[in-house]
Amino acid sequence: MEFLTSLVRFFIYLSCSCMVLSSITIFKLNSVVFSVEDCEFPAIFNFGDSNSDTGGLAAAFPAFLYKPYGETFFHKPAGRFSDGRLIIDFIANSLNLPYLSAYLDSQRTNFTHGANFATAASTITLPNLIIPNGGFSPFYLVVQYTQFVRLKSLPQKTREAEYFKQALYTFDIGQNDLGQGFFSNMSIAEVNASVPDIINSFSTNFKNIYNISGGTSFWIHNTGPIGCLPYILNTFPSAQKDEAGCAKPYNEVAQYFNTKLKEAVVQLRKDLPSAAITYVDVYSAKYSLYTDPHNDGFEQPLVACCGYGGKYNYGSGGCGETIQVNGTQIFVGSCRRPWTRVNWDGIHYTEAANKAVFHKISTGAYSDPPLPLKKACYMTPK
């Protein structure tokens, strides 16, 4: 009896000791060891396209700033290609940082807590056709990198080495490289064949940003299910559909891109052993909104909220345009309940969808390593 009592006391002591130890030191998750303390990110530097553009393209080309964009949260156009906030906005908010100012916005710039180099229609590689002639953004990833170099050289107190070293560097780009191929009359096989070069370009720019920044924390989004977007579904109506109604061949290209991106991340970890690089499977998080929309409160996930025409409410009139229908001019506005919709304007997501995706990925459930956003400064054991 005395032995059993001693044994019970030992286990109680051991349990309590482990609880105290784990609360002040480290814990383990799927072979990832990291401190329970949240990372202290003083800033975010973001590189990307319209999925994370907080006003860059609208500053460069004011014609892209119009109603009803921004109506849900900002109640006016806010440079975002959505009715409200983007995933990057929710990321900043969750880290107790202000929304990122676009680097190109000279009127509302505040780089105290980082900067956003993303612009809508940006690509990783040099675009074939540049806006305003119906093409893509001139601010592709190489240009975004050079903008970051210039910003870092500015002599301000907040631009100290530790500020850049401790910042979080986020990437969400690549969708337009695929779209550029699809809309340049390239076959699916040809677009697939271009992916390795696109990924190599990404890796080169990533290393350049790593080397010039001195940063150690990187959060990389893969590309989403492009075949579920109305602008693809409407343009390529004969494409084979999957169980969610998405264009299967186009999603398969995105999946191939993501496979190569993940392979590149694995190599980057080897090449840059001091970097904590988190690969985030945004594709799966977004695709779940199409396969199980009701789980997140959505309906008609393939139909644009703001648009006009056809099965997907896209094609006959773009969001915010004034068009003529049966001799009558009508304004192409948003649907009555944008919070129940996944897609905003045929290409981009609603604030509600962005928020849902953020909550999915911020937990680490879609990440490799499976780290929550607030632990993204910690590395996997080498």
Side-chain angles (χ1 to χ4, degrees), residues 194-239:
S194 72
V195 167
D197 286 341
I198 296 170
I199 297 301
N200 286 339
S201 181
F202 175 85
S203 294
T204 298
N205 282 283
F206 182 95
K207 287 182 178 180
N208 289 338
I209 292 168
Y210 170 83
N211 289 330
I212 194 68
S213 69
T216 58
S217 303
F218 301 88
W219 181 266
I220 302 174
H221 291 181
N222 66 13
T223 201
I226 190 171
C228 298
L229 302 178
Y231 91 111
I232 292 291
L233 291 166
N234 181 75
T235 306
F236 307 102
S238 62

Side-chain angles (χ1 to χ4, degrees), residues 50-51 69 81-82 120 175 229 342-350:
S50 58
N51 289 305
Y69 286 90
F81 285 75
S82 178
Q175 177 176 306
L229 302 178
V342 171
N343 193 277
W344 168 242
D345 59 1
I347 303 175
H348 309 99
Y349 288 77
T350 61

Side-chain angles (χ1 to χ4, degrees), residues 11-53:
F11 279 114
I12 292 175
Y13 170 78
L14 182 62
S15 176
C16 292
S17 298
C18 290
M19 289 174 64
V20 172
L21 181 64
S22 67
S23 68
I24 60 175
T25 53
I26 61 176
F27 67 90
K28 187 173 183 180
L29 175 62
N30 292 352
S31 300
V32 181
V33 181
F34 53 93
S35 168
V36 295
E37 294 182 359
D38 290 342
C39 304
E40 293 292 335
F41 297 121
I44 301 172
F45 294 99
N46 181 67
F47 304 85
D49 53 31
S50 58
N51 289 305
S52 60
D53 181 0

Side-chain angles (χ1 to χ4, degrees), residues 142-300:
V142 170
V143 176
Q144 293 183 28
Y145 159 69
T146 59
Q147 291 172 337
F148 173 73
V149 172
R150 176 166 176 75
L151 176 66
K152 191 173 184 295
S153 69
L154 296 178
Q156 296 187 26
K157 291 182 179 179
T158 56
R159 311 287 191 268
E160 297 172 356
E162 287 301 304
Y163 167 79
F164 288 99
K165 182 177 181 180
Q166 295 172 6
L168 177 66
Y169 293 82
T170 55
F171 297 80
D172 193 334
I173 194 167
Q175 177 176 306
N176 291 322
D177 292 87
L178 304 183
Q180 179 174 236
F182 297 146
F183 288 91
S184 298
N185 295 320
M186 292 173 65
S187 67
I188 294 293
E190 289 172 329
V191 177
N192 269 334
S194 72
V195 167
D197 286 341
I198 296 170
I199 297 301
N200 286 339
S201 181
F202 175 85
S203 294
T204 298
N205 282 283
F206 182 95
K207 287 182 178 180
N208 289 338
I209 292 168
Y210 170 83
N211 289 330
I212 194 68
S213 69
T216 58
S217 303
F218 301 88
W219 181 266
I220 302 174
H221 291 181
N222 66 13
T223 201
I226 190 171
C228 298
L229 302 178
Y231 91 111
I232 292 291
L233 291 166
N234 181 75
T235 306
F236 307 102
S238 62
Q240 180 187 358
K241 305 300 188 295
D242 63 15
E243 65 276 7
C246 302
K248 186 176 180 180
Y250 297 87
N251 274 351
E252 288 175 344
V253 175
Q255 291 168 351
Y256 177 65
F257 175 95
N258 293 338
T259 297
K260 290 301 179 182
L261 177 62
K262 191 169 186 179
E263 290 174 1
V265 167
V266 171
Q267 186 60 48
L268 286 168
R269 288 181 182 138
K270 294 177 182 178
D271 296 341
L272 310 172
S274 297
I277 307 175
T278 305
Y279 171 88
V280 187
D281 186 10
V282 170
Y283 180 99
S284 294
K286 287 183 174 179
Y287 190 60
S288 70
L289 303 184
Y290 298 100
T291 56
D292 300 295
H294 300 297
N295 289 348
D296 294 288
F298 295 112
E299 57 189 38
Q300 296 181 286

